[in-house]
Amino acid sequence: MEFSDNKPIYRQISDYAFNCIIEGKWVVGEKIPSVRELAVELGVNTRTVLKALEYLQDTNVINPRRGMGFILATDAVSKVMQERRSEFFNSSLPALLQEMNRLGITTAELLDHINNHKSS
């Protein structure tokens, strides 16, 4: 996994987990990969993975199961979608609007490009 400098690594790992949940790679009610498995897969320290999983646990996306590791919560998909939507409206969209303003792109022009993209 390629990490960027704009966000802490543990949050980027959380984003990776969110993608796995949204894409159905991690199944609701089933065990997710262990801390060690994720550390090896992503090429990071186990402490960093543990911090990411603590974040997922704090947001009630995963639940610990004694002797099993972490299980994906039954409402994990909706929680992840809610978190991602919030991030989009609070961070991504304002950044997009600011860049549009810098480039002189109007909302109508953007919508035209979106509509053209949908039909292709």
Side-chain angles (χ1 to χ4, degrees):
M1 182 170 170
E2 295 287 324
F3 295 103
S4 65
D5 293 335
N6 65 343
K7 193 184 250 189
I9 291 175
Y10 85 94
R11 286 299 309 268
Q12 292 177 64
I13 294 170
S14 299
D15 288 343
Y16 169 80
F18 284 175
N19 287 338
C20 288
I21 293 165
I22 290 170
E23 294 168 5
K25 293 176 183 174
W26 293 4
V27 179
V28 169
E30 292 189 10
K31 182 184 178 303
I32 66 167
S34 71
V35 172
R36 277 203 179 97
E37 290 169 333
L38 286 171
V40 168
E41 179 181 344
L42 302 175
V44 296
N45 187 298
T46 55
R47 290 182 187 168
T48 306
V49 172
L50 191 56
K51 188 170 182 178
L53 294 182
E54 286 172 356
Y55 173 76
L56 294 177
Q57 188 176 356
D58 290 344
T59 56
N60 298 312
V61 172
I62 60 173
N63 299 310
R65 288 283 160 83
R66 188 178 180 124
M68 291 185 64
F70 291 99
I71 305 296
L72 200 57
T74 55
D75 58 349
V77 174
S78 63
K79 286 185 180 188
V80 168
M81 292 296 282
Q82 181 180 1
E83 179 78 19
R84 280 285 172 89
R85 289 174 61 89
S86 177
E87 184 177 325
F88 175 79
F89 285 115
N90 293 325
S91 180
S92 301
L93 184 58
L96 173 66
L97 294 173
Q98 187 176 33
E99 185 67 9
M100 285 174 57
N101 189 41
R102 270 195 294 267
L103 298 173
I105 298 171
T106 66
T107 305
E109 190 177 1
L110 175 66
L111 291 174
D112 186 46
H113 279 274
I114 291 170
N115 290 329
N116 286 337
H117 181 72
K118 285 181 184 177
S119 59
S120 13

